Amino acid sequence: EAAARVQLKLLEQQDTTLTTPADVLVYAEKGHEVKGLMHCNELINHGFTVYNSVFANEDEAVKYALVHGIKRIDIVSAAGVAERTL
């Protein structure tokens, strides 16, 4: 968690984006990490470029996505998967 915050801070200061943004960033709420990885696998099988979020909360994951030009974040929780367009 602390390392992810440091990385996010450095990336915000550099104002850089990925060469080619991922199609989707998958963020899994605490306790749903395995479901999140399974969702990543499903998306990859459908041809998406996917990053799995390692951030401690949804807000940090959204900030990362915005900095890197990722337009969609999928939130995996007990309720299932919610797609959020940024």
Side-chain angles (χ1 to χ4, degrees), residues 9-61:
K9 192 65 143 177
L10 290 172
L11 291 171
E12 286 174 345
Q13 291 171 354
Q14 293 175 5
D15 192 32
T16 60
T17 57
L18 299 169
T19 305
T20 303
D23 299 313
V24 183
L25 177 67
V26 175
Y27 168 75
E29 291 183 354
K30 187 172 182 160
H32 301 281
E33 296 86 356
V34 173
K35 284 189 214 173
L37 291 172
M38 291 170 57
H39 182 61
C40 286
N41 192 47
E42 289 175 22
L43 292 171
I44 291 167
N45 287 338
H46 285 96
F48 289 94
T49 303
V50 179
Y51 283 174
N52 179 53
S53 173
V54 295
F55 294 102
N57 61 57
E58 185 179 335
D59 289 339
E60 290 177 357

